[in-house]
Amino acid sequence: MLEKLSAKITDAFRFVTGKSTISEKNIEDAVEAIKMALLEADVNLRVVRRFVNSTIEEAKGEKVLRSVDPGQQFIKIVHDKLVSFLGDADPSSRALKLRGPDVITNILMLGLQGSGKTTSAAKLALRLKKEGRKPLLAACDLVRPAAMEQLTVLGGQIGIPVYREDGAKDSVKVYQNALIFAKQNLIDTIIVDTTGRLQIDEIMMAELSCLKETVKPDELLLVADSMTGQSAADIAKTFDEKIGLTGVILTKFDSDTRGGAALSLKTITGKPLKFTGTGEKPEDFEPFHPDRIAGRILGMGDVVSLVEKAQEVIDQKEALELQKKMEKENFTLDDWLTQLRAVKKMGSLQSMLEMIPGMQGQISEEDIDKAELKKQEAILSSMTRKERANHLIIGPPRRSRIARGSGTSVAEVARLIKKFEKMRGMMKKMAKGSKGGMPNIPGMSF
Ligand code: GDP
């Protein structure tokens, strides 16, 4: 996900990094390369123009050209621009509007068929359940025959009740009965799965408008497929004009998405991107953080999300320790091994790996390089605990032994240690950076 965009943008920085002074021409070259990268990522042309113009304007100022490290200053500008194009600085703009426990909150899920609407309804329900709420899934997609069944199966998997009426024709009536059921069963949130079509049409919009009138939803979330690029933003715009939206969920963010949808949405629709779907499983669902995604695009990884995700699987204490270790540079090879094993337990492997600083470019689409991971695990397992606790003691004799034990070569062992050292430095910066303030951006990839 996003790796092509990431590779192209970080490549554009070669025009401005590693120089003590940079010229306006250097900036123009870098911006031109970024422009091509954005267009290839299927970002809307209007958005690209705005991005390019505002970046050039800011980057050509005295602050950059005269600064001690102009390359880093330039990267910081691109980072900040990416963040602002991805979303609002204020996180409350992305928070769901949820009512108190005594008043039922209604969430209407909208979207075209195949966008991932039904799956996302279940994912959202699971998330709210984990937050202590009592959600109900209401099966109001009466057009797609399998939708009701799919929702029932998903609800069963995650332990969430599903209200359905077989053979029903009127989604408004189904909702009204779901509301009665909710009141009788102390439900505090109703997530309504609505009808979808392959394309936007008047009949669908009319039905959704009727449903909206009755439901009076607190949230109207459009589920859009990030694989469709900038047309996801166009679809969102139409839904917003016809029905009105409070936010967007971008699905399939784990797949080969080029980034066009995420980067175009806010400018085209003015609506916040609230969540991303990052896999097929109910837990593959993340709140959207513009700064973290910008970090991923710039190859800086997303340690914060990784730690958060880890918290769901590893126990809380362990995860906190991990974060502290990252900050203090106490992160050891032993921690890496623990992390590698934990990653195995977590949802989509690819989306997890891409959160690790510098990993983006290294992941091929077809093969997530499970072989490489296995190799890393083999090398780490062939070390003694003492070695993993302090990699500095691993001199040439130990390296040969580890290589023999893991069925790899001395060069591979050396490479892993080198990679680890870089990763650790990067983690420290990222961990600090995530607490506010911008870290001095490291050499992007390793
Ligand atoms: P609907 O027609 O909009 O209700 O779409 P579905 O919820 O049935 O989803 C369509 C397909 O996309 C299903 O095969 C889902 O498993 C898949 N899907 C949904 N969300 C995601 C996601 O975030 N990542 C991936 N990889 N697949 C997803």
Side-chain angles (χ1 to χ4, degrees), residues 111-120 123 141 144 147 150 154 193-194 196 223 250-255 276-281 284:
L112 295 183
Q113 234 175 59
S115 60
K117 182 166 44 63
T118 307
T119 314
S120 300
K123 288 176 173 180
D141 180 355
R144 187 162 69 91
Q150 189 187 348
L154 286 168
D193 187 21
T194 64
V223 179
L250 259 193
T251 59
K252 307 180 197 175
F253 218 57
D254 51 308
S255 44
T276 52
T278 55
E280 298 199 34
K281 293 209 223 61
D284 296 331

